[in-house]
């Protein structure tokens, strides 16, 4: 198994268990970049983890989480994430997104979401 395939498989396994911050702490590079569809860019592992923690803390109820097996090509991999959650002060939301990751120096250096 290649390093990228191992990282991709580990990320999917942890995320399927709702262990998003744990996955980031283990798999992401300190200089990682997160890009959202609206153009927001978050730089650095600490900032990415804080953003994720804030989102997870806003979830009041989990209805569904489905994550596809990863597709790997060279230093990149992708997965589909389907999430249905109730968010505080917003209500129930379903998000179907494509998540693209780039691996560099045996860590995820970039993630970009499309939804």
């Amino acid at each position: 198994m290649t390093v990228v395939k191992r990282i991709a498989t580990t990320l999917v396994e942890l995320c399927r268990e709702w262990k998003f911050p744990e996955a980031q702490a283990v798999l992401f590079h300190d200089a990682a970049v997160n890009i959202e569809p609206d153009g927001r860019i978050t730089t650095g592992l600490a900032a990415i983890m804080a953003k994720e923690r804030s989102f997870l803390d806003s979830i009041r109820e989990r209805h569904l989480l489905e994550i596809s097996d990863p597709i790997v090509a060279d230093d990149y991999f992708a997965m589909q994430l389907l999430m249905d959650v109730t968010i505080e002060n917003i209500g129930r939301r379903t998000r179907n997104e494509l998540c693209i990751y780039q691996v560099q120096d045996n860590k995820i250096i970039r993630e970009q979401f499309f939804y």
Side-chain angles (χ1 to χ4, degrees), residues 6 8 17-18 53 72-74 81 94 106-107 111 115:
R6 179 185 53 76
E17 297 174 12
W18 288 90
R53 176 54 50 209
V72 178
D74 293 327
L81 183 145
T94 300
N106 299 322
K107 295 283 187 171
E111 66 177 350
Y115 50 86

Side-chain angles (χ1 to χ4, degrees), residues 11 28 75-77 79 99-102 108 110-111 113:
L11 179 70
F28 280 49
D75 294 334
Y76 294 86
F77 67 94
M79 66 183 192
C99 311
I100 310 291
Y101 300 87
Q102 180 183 5
I108 294 170
R110 175 187 171 112
E111 66 177 350
F113 302 137

Side-chain angles (χ1 to χ4, degrees), residues 1 12 20 26 63 67 112:
M1 180 181 297
V12 166
F20 297 96
V26 172
H63 306 288
I67 300 174
Q112 186 167 5

Side-chain angles (χ1 to χ4, degrees), residues 30-70:
D30 287 340
V33 174
N34 163 276
I35 303 170
E36 295 287 343
D38 62 6
R40 286 180 294 142
I41 298 173
T42 305
T43 303
L45 178 56
I48 291 170
M49 289 182 72
K51 182 174 124 280
E52 186 68 26
R53 176 54 50 209
S54 177
F55 171 70
L56 292 173
D57 288 347
S58 73
I59 296 174
R60 293 298 156 243
E61 190 174 349
R62 301 173 185 174
H63 306 288
L64 174 73
L65 177 65
E66 292 181 358
I67 300 174
S68 71
D69 290 335

